[in-house]
Amino acid sequence: MSPEPVYIVTMKVVPKTEEIRFDPVTKTVDRSKATNEINPADKNALEEALKLKDKYGGKVIVLSMGPPFFEPFLRTALAMGADDAILISDKALAGSDAYVTSMVLAKGIQKIGGATLVLCGEESSDGSTGQVPPGIATWLGYSLATFVSKIISLDLENKKVVVRRTIKGGYEDIDLPLPAVLAIELGINTPRFPDFRRKRWAEKEYKMTIWNIHDLGLKPEEVGLTGSPSRVKTLIELKPPERMRKIITDPDQAVEEIIKIIKSIK
Amino acid sequence: MSREEWRGFGVFIEQDEGVVEETSLEILGRIRELADKYNIKITSFVLTDDINRIIDKIRYYGSDEIVYAENSLFKTYLSDVFSTALYRLVSKYRPRYLLLPATRNSRDLAGRLAIMLRTCLLAHVISIDIDPETMRMNAAVPGFGGNIAAVCECVTMPEMATVSPGVFTPKIRKDIEPKLINESDLTKDLKTSMRKISRTSVARPDISRSEKIVVAGAGCIKDLELIKRFAKIIGAEYAVTRPVADAGLAPRDLQVGSTGISLKSKLVIVLGASGAPHFVSGIRDCGTVVSVNIDPDAPIKDFSDLFVVGDLYDIVKKLIDRLGG
C-alpha cells in the first residue's frame, strides 16, 4: 500500500504588473501603489493540486518564501482547500534570486518530509524567470516536467505521473517517475473560490507555520543578496518608440487609410 | 584534456528531430561580434541523434568549434538526459559564458543546468554585452510585464543566460571553419527515466519573423474566424494577445507580448486589444502599428501610428469587402 500522497504547492505573492511604476530618475521600481495578488499561475497550480486531492486523496500543503505580508494570501489558499500552509520568512532572504529561492524552497520541501508531487506556477508574473521549478527538481533529484497544460493521470502504486506539456507547435504526453516537480502553465484551469466556512477557519483558527533560515539549516550568507550568484547592476526603462498617434473616428476614412498603409508595405 | 579555467563563449544549439532552433543561430550572430572584439573563442554544443542531419545548417554561423554528442536519446528533448549530457560537455570544455535559447525546452534545460553547475542564470535576456573592465557579461533581463529591464551580471562561472528569440540576427561566416569534435563517448551510458507517450505538433509559421501580422485581442473573441480571414486576404500572419490564448482560443505559440513572442514585423494591425504593458512590449520593434478599438481612451492609442476608434467587426468587414475577400 502506498502512503498518502502529499502535494506541495509553491506560492508567491506578486504586485499586479500593470500597477507598477518606474521612476527613471532614481531608477527604482515603485510597487507601493500596486495591489498584491497570489501569482496567477500559482493559483492554477493550487487548483490542480486540489483536483488531485479530490480524486486520489492526500494532503495539499502550500509553501511560500516571502515577507510576513504574504500570510493573508496563504490563508486565502487554505480557504480554497489547502490543508496546511508554511511561510519561510526571514529578513536575510531579501534580494534572493531564482538560484537561492529554489534552494530555500527545496530545503523547505525536505523539512516537510518530501512530496509526491511539487506543483509550481510556470513562472511568476513579476520575475518571470521560470527557473524555480527546474531548480527545485534539481536540488531534490526529483523528475521534472515544465509547461504542463494537463495532468492526465497519477499512478500512486507504480509511482508514475502522466502529463501533457506544451512544445513548439503542439504538445507531448510524457510519463514521469514520482516524486516529480510539475510547472503548471498559466490559465489551464479556473481556480475555485474560497469556501465560506473554510475562510473563517483559515482566518481565525488556523495557526500558520513560519520557518526562518535557521530552521532550514541555512546561514545568512548562503541566502539573500549575498548568496545569490546574479546581481542587478541597474534598471532601465524600456521606452517604446514614439508613434504618430494619428486618430480616426470615421469608419470609411479609416478603411481608406488602412488600405493605403497595407499597400505601402512591400 | 579538461580545461582549467572558465574561458570563451559556449552556445547550446537546440535541435528537435533535425530542425535547428533559429534562436541559437541568432545568439551566434551577436556573440561573434563580441568574440571578434575581445578575441574570445566560441564553442557550440550540439546534442543530436545524427550530426549529419544538422551540421550543414549550423556549420558557418561563427562557431570556432562545434562539440557534439550523438545518441538516439537526443532525437527530441528529454529533460533528464539533456541536462546530464550538457552538464558533462560544459564541465569538460568550461566556457566562461554559456548561452541558450529562451525556448520552452532550453529554459527547462538551463534551469536544471545552472543548479548542477552551481551558477547563475539570467532569464530571457534581450541584450548581451561584456563589461571591458571586469570582462563580465552584462545582459538586460526584462521584467514587470516588459516595461522595465534589469541589467544583470553573474558573479559565478559559467556566466549563464537564456536569450529571447528574435532579438539578434544570424550571420553566415564562411571565413571561419569550425573544428568538429565528437564527444559521443561522454554520453554513451545515459538512460532516461521519462517516457514519451505521444507527440502532436503542427508546423506553424514563426510569427516572430513575419513581415505583416494581424493581432486579435480580447475584443475579437466573438468572431476570430473573421479576423483570420482578414489576415489571410492581406497576406499577414495571425496572432493573438494573452487573454485570447488564456481562454484556450489560440495556442501559446501565437501569443504576442513579454510572456509570448516579440514581433519585428513591418506592419502590425492590432484589433480589439486595450494595450496592456506586457502586450505592447511585444510590438515595440514593429515598423508601423495600426490599431482599432471601440474605447477612445484605450492605452494602445499611445503605441499606435494610426488609431481607429470604432467597431472592429465593422471596420474589418469593410476592409474585406474592399480588398476582395
Side-chain angles (χ1 to χ4, degrees), chain A residues 18-41:
Chain A
E18 61 271 26
E19 294 174 11
I20 295 169
R21 296 289 170 266
F22 181 73
D23 184 336
V25 181
T26 59
K27 293 195 172 169
T28 50
V29 174
D30 181 9
R31 304 179 186 219
S32 62
K33 286 175 195 71
T35 38
N36 292 304
E37 60 180 354
I38 295 174
N39 179 47

mmCIF file of all heavy atoms in Angstrom, chain A residues 18-41:
data_model
loop_
_atom_site.group_PDB
_atom_site.id
_atom_site.type_symbol
_atom_site.label_atom_id
_atom_site.label_comp_id
_atom_site.label_asym_id
_atom_site.label_seq_id
_atom_site.Cartn_x
_atom_site.Cartn_y
_atom_site.Cartn_z
ATOM 1 N N GLU A 18 0.547 45.635 -14.054
ATOM 2 C CA GLU A 18 0.082 46.858 -14.709
ATOM 3 C C GLU A 18 0.050 48.051 -13.755
ATOM 4 O O GLU A 18 -0.105 49.183 -14.188
ATOM 5 C CB GLU A 18 -1.287 46.632 -15.387
ATOM 6 C CG GLU A 18 -2.425 46.226 -14.483
ATOM 7 C CD GLU A 18 -2.542 44.714 -14.295
ATOM 8 O OE1 GLU A 18 -1.524 43.996 -14.438
ATOM 9 O OE2 GLU A 18 -3.652 44.250 -13.983
ATOM 10 N N GLU A 19 0.216 47.777 -12.448
ATOM 11 C CA GLU A 19 0.159 48.889 -11.493
ATOM 12 C C GLU A 19 1.544 49.301 -10.992
ATOM 13 O O GLU A 19 1.677 50.138 -10.105
ATOM 14 C CB GLU A 19 -0.731 48.489 -10.310
ATOM 15 C CG GLU A 19 -2.185 48.297 -10.730
ATOM 16 C CD GLU A 19 -3.050 47.767 -9.597
ATOM 17 O OE1 GLU A 19 -2.608 47.740 -8.445
ATOM 18 O OE2 GLU A 19 -4.184 47.359 -9.892
ATOM 19 N N ILE A 20 2.580 48.709 -11.552
ATOM 20 C CA ILE A 20 3.940 49.062 -11.130
ATOM 21 C C ILE A 20 4.433 50.268 -11.917
ATOM 22 O O ILE A 20 4.228 50.344 -13.121
ATOM 23 C CB ILE A 20 4.888 47.863 -11.348
ATOM 24 C CG1 ILE A 20 4.471 46.722 -10.444
ATOM 25 C CG2 ILE A 20 6.329 48.253 -11.089
ATOM 26 C CD1 ILE A 20 5.155 45.440 -10.769
ATOM 27 N N ARG A 21 5.053 51.200 -11.233
ATOM 28 C CA ARG A 21 5.590 52.380 -11.913
ATOM 29 C C ARG A 21 7.107 52.390 -11.779
ATOM 30 O O ARG A 21 7.667 51.926 -10.809
ATOM 31 C CB ARG A 21 5.003 53.656 -11.298
ATOM 32 C CG ARG A 21 3.499 53.787 -11.491
ATOM 33 C CD ARG A 21 3.131 54.094 -12.953
ATOM 34 N NE ARG A 21 1.696 53.994 -13.165
ATOM 35 C CZ ARG A 21 1.077 52.905 -13.593
ATOM 36 N NH1 ARG A 21 1.776 51.811 -13.852
ATOM 37 N NH2 ARG A 21 -0.225 52.874 -13.752
ATOM 38 N N PHE A 22 7.730 52.966 -12.775
ATOM 39 C CA PHE A 22 9.183 53.056 -12.760
ATOM 40 C C PHE A 22 9.586 54.514 -12.662
ATOM 41 O O PHE A 22 9.064 55.362 -13.382
ATOM 42 C CB PHE A 22 9.733 52.445 -14.053
ATOM 43 C CG PHE A 22 11.230 52.465 -14.139
ATOM 44 C CD1 PHE A 22 11.989 51.605 -13.366
ATOM 45 C CD2 PHE A 22 11.879 53.341 -14.993
ATOM 46 C CE1 PHE A 22 13.378 51.602 -13.442
ATOM 47 C CE2 PHE A 22 13.268 53.359 -15.079
ATOM 48 C CZ PHE A 22 14.013 52.481 -14.299
ATOM 49 N N ASP A 23 10.487 54.805 -11.730
ATOM 50 C CA ASP A 23 10.983 56.171 -11.600
ATOM 51 C C ASP A 23 12.307 56.264 -12.357
ATOM 52 O O ASP A 23 13.326 55.749 -11.896
ATOM 53 C CB ASP A 23 11.174 56.514 -10.112
ATOM 54 C CG ASP A 23 11.602 57.969 -9.929
ATOM 55 O OD1 ASP A 23 12.177 58.544 -10.882
ATOM 56 O OD2 ASP A 23 11.361 58.521 -8.849
ATOM 57 N N PRO A 24 12.297 56.932 -13.525
ATOM 58 C CA PRO A 24 13.513 56.957 -14.345
ATOM 59 C C PRO A 24 14.654 57.749 -13.714
ATOM 60 O O PRO A 24 15.810 57.558 -14.058
ATOM 61 C CB PRO A 24 13.055 57.602 -15.663
ATOM 62 C CG PRO A 24 11.733 58.232 -15.382
ATOM 63 C CD PRO A 24 11.172 57.644 -14.140
ATOM 64 N N VAL A 25 14.341 58.630 -12.779
ATOM 65 C CA VAL A 25 15.388 59.432 -12.144
ATOM 66 C C VAL A 25 16.144 58.597 -11.100
ATOM 67 O O VAL A 25 17.362 58.460 -11.137
ATOM 68 C CB VAL A 25 14.804 60.715 -11.501
ATOM 69 C CG1 VAL A 25 15.921 61.535 -10.867
ATOM 70 C CG2 VAL A 25 14.070 61.537 -12.560
ATOM 71 N N THR A 26 15.405 58.001 -10.191
ATOM 72 C CA THR A 26 16.064 57.197 -9.149
ATOM 73 C C THR A 26 16.356 55.775 -9.631
ATOM 74 O O THR A 26 17.037 55.018 -8.959
ATOM 75 C CB THR A 26 15.184 57.117 -7.886
ATOM 76 O OG1 THR A 26 13.930 56.518 -8.261
ATOM 77 C CG2 THR A 26 14.926 58.481 -7.295
ATOM 78 N N LYS A 27 15.836 55.444 -10.803
ATOM 79 C CA LYS A 27 15.984 54.095 -11.364
ATOM 80 C C LYS A 27 15.511 53.015 -10.380
ATOM 81 O O LYS A 27 16.190 52.035 -10.123
ATOM 82 C CB LYS A 27 17.432 53.843 -11.778
ATOM 83 C CG LYS A 27 17.836 54.717 -12.939
ATOM 84 C CD LYS A 27 19.090 54.253 -13.586
ATOM 85 C CE LYS A 27 19.317 55.059 -14.853
ATOM 86 N NZ LYS A 27 20.608 54.877 -15.429
ATOM 87 N N THR A 28 14.367 53.273 -9.806
ATOM 88 C CA THR A 28 13.801 52.273 -8.899
ATOM 89 C C THR A 28 12.378 51.947 -9.318
ATOM 90 O O THR A 28 11.728 52.720 -10.024
ATOM 91 C CB THR A 28 13.771 52.772 -7.438
ATOM 92 O OG1 THR A 28 13.174 54.068 -7.440
ATOM 93 C CG2 THR A 28 15.156 52.834 -6.843
ATOM 94 N N VAL A 29 11.931 50.799 -8.861
ATOM 95 C CA VAL A 29 10.587 50.353 -9.157
ATOM 96 C C VAL A 29 9.693 50.724 -7.988
ATOM 97 O O VAL A 29 10.033 50.483 -6.836
ATOM 98 C CB VAL A 29 10.585 48.819 -9.347
ATOM 99 C CG1 VAL A 29 9.169 48.312 -9.506
ATOM 100 C CG2 VAL A 29 11.421 48.443 -10.548
ATOM 101 N N ASP A 30 8.596 51.373 -8.285
ATOM 102 C CA ASP A 30 7.661 51.752 -7.236
ATOM 103 C C ASP A 30 6.508 50.756 -7.207
ATOM 104 O O ASP A 30 5.636 50.774 -8.055
ATOM 105 C CB ASP A 30 7.145 53.179 -7.484
ATOM 106 C CG ASP A 30 6.179 53.632 -6.406
ATOM 107 O OD1 ASP A 30 6.047 52.903 -5.392
ATOM 108 O OD2 ASP A 30 5.564 54.698 -6.572
ATOM 109 N N ARG A 31 6.564 49.877 -6.190
ATOM 110 C CA ARG A 31 5.496 48.885 -6.054
ATOM 111 C C ARG A 31 4.446 49.349 -5.055
ATOM 112 O O ARG A 31 3.471 48.652 -4.822
ATOM 113 C CB ARG A 31 6.052 47.567 -5.516
ATOM 114 C CG ARG A 31 7.161 46.958 -6.306
ATOM 115 C CD ARG A 31 7.572 45.688 -5.588
ATOM 116 N NE ARG A 31 8.743 45.102 -6.226
ATOM 117 C CZ ARG A 31 8.903 43.806 -6.391
ATOM 118 N NH1 ARG A 31 8.000 42.951 -5.972
ATOM 119 N NH2 ARG A 31 9.982 43.334 -6.938
ATOM 120 N N SER A 32 4.703 50.518 -4.434
ATOM 121 C CA SER A 32 3.861 50.911 -3.299
ATOM 122 C C SER A 32 2.408 51.128 -3.692
ATOM 123 O O SER A 32 1.514 50.897 -2.903
ATOM 124 C CB SER A 32 4.429 52.172 -2.649
ATOM 125 O OG SER A 32 4.412 53.226 -3.599
ATOM 126 N N LYS A 33 2.177 51.542 -4.947
ATOM 127 C CA LYS A 33 0.800 51.795 -5.341
ATOM 128 C C LYS A 33 0.153 50.573 -5.988
ATOM 129 O O LYS A 33 -1.022 50.596 -6.338
ATOM 130 C CB LYS A 33 0.745 53.008 -6.275
ATOM 131 C CG LYS A 33 0.948 54.302 -5.504
ATOM 132 C CD LYS A 33 1.019 55.504 -6.408
ATOM 133 C CE LYS A 33 1.575 56.707 -5.678
ATOM 134 N NZ LYS A 33 3.030 56.595 -5.379
ATOM 135 N N ALA A 34 0.938 49.526 -6.153
ATOM 136 C CA ALA A 34 0.398 48.329 -6.798
ATOM 137 C C ALA A 34 -0.261 47.420 -5.762
ATOM 138 O O ALA A 34 0.255 47.260 -4.653
ATOM 139 C CB ALA A 34 1.514 47.573 -7.506
ATOM 140 N N THR A 35 -1.402 46.855 -6.114
ATOM 141 C CA THR A 35 -2.030 45.893 -5.221
ATOM 142 C C THR A 35 -1.371 44.530 -5.441
ATOM 143 O O THR A 35 -0.885 44.227 -6.526
ATOM 144 C CB THR A 35 -3.538 45.768 -5.496
ATOM 145 O OG1 THR A 35 -3.752 45.840 -6.909
ATOM 146 C CG2 THR A 35 -4.318 46.844 -4.811
ATOM 147 N N ASN A 36 -1.354 43.739 -4.391
ATOM 148 C CA ASN A 36 -0.723 42.430 -4.473
ATOM 149 C C ASN A 36 -1.760 41.341 -4.714
ATOM 150 O O ASN A 36 -2.931 41.493 -4.395
ATOM 151 C CB ASN A 36 0.047 42.150 -3.185
ATOM 152 C CG ASN A 36 1.247 43.056 -3.043
ATOM 153 O OD1 ASN A 36 2.103 43.093 -3.924
ATOM 154 N ND2 ASN A 36 1.301 43.808 -1.962
ATOM 155 N N GLU A 37 -1.293 40.265 -5.268
ATOM 156 C CA GLU A 37 -2.180 39.126 -5.516
ATOM 157 C C GLU A 37 -1.333 37.857 -5.485
ATOM 158 O O GLU A 37 -0.106 37.914 -5.598
ATOM 159 C CB GLU A 37 -2.857 39.262 -6.891
ATOM 160 C CG GLU A 37 -1.852 39.313 -8.047
ATOM 161 C CD GLU A 37 -2.488 39.456 -9.430
ATOM 162 O OE1 GLU A 37 -3.718 39.404 -9.535
ATOM 163 O OE2 GLU A 37 -1.718 39.609 -10.396
ATOM 164 N N ILE A 38 -1.999 36.711 -5.336
ATOM 165 C CA ILE A 38 -1.285 35.443 -5.479
ATOM 166 C C ILE A 38 -0.869 35.359 -6.948
ATOM 167 O O ILE A 38 -1.664 35.664 -7.835
ATOM 168 C CB ILE A 38 -2.201 34.249 -5.116
ATOM 169 C CG1 ILE A 38 -2.596 34.301 -3.633
ATOM 170 C CG2 ILE A 38 -1.513 32.923 -5.428
ATOM 171 C CD1 ILE A 38 -3.621 33.247 -3.221
ATOM 172 N N ASN A 39 0.372 34.977 -7.192
ATOM 173 C CA ASN A 39 0.837 34.844 -8.574
ATOM 174 C C ASN A 39 -0.170 33.988 -9.347
ATOM 175 O O ASN A 39 -0.454 32.855 -8.959
ATOM 176 C CB ASN A 39 2.222 34.201 -8.578
ATOM 177 C CG ASN A 39 2.740 34.008 -9.986
ATOM 178 O OD1 ASN A 39 2.678 34.912 -10.814
ATOM 179 N ND2 ASN A 39 3.220 32.808 -10.256
ATOM 180 N N PRO A 40 -0.737 34.525 -10.432
ATOM 181 C CA PRO A 40 -1.837 33.825 -11.111
ATOM 182 C C PRO A 40 -1.544 32.361 -11.465
ATOM 183 O O PRO A 40 -2.389 31.484 -11.262
ATOM 184 C CB PRO A 40 -2.067 34.679 -12.363
ATOM 185 C CG PRO A 40 -1.655 36.058 -11.946
ATOM 186 C CD PRO A 40 -0.500 35.862 -11.010
ATOM 187 N N ALA A 41 -0.349 32.073 -11.965
ATOM 188 C CA ALA A 41 -0.046 30.684 -12.338
ATOM 189 C C ALA A 41 0.025 29.771 -11.106
ATOM 190 O O ALA A 41 -0.278 28.571 -11.188
ATOM 191 C CB ALA A 41 1.259 30.613 -13.127
#
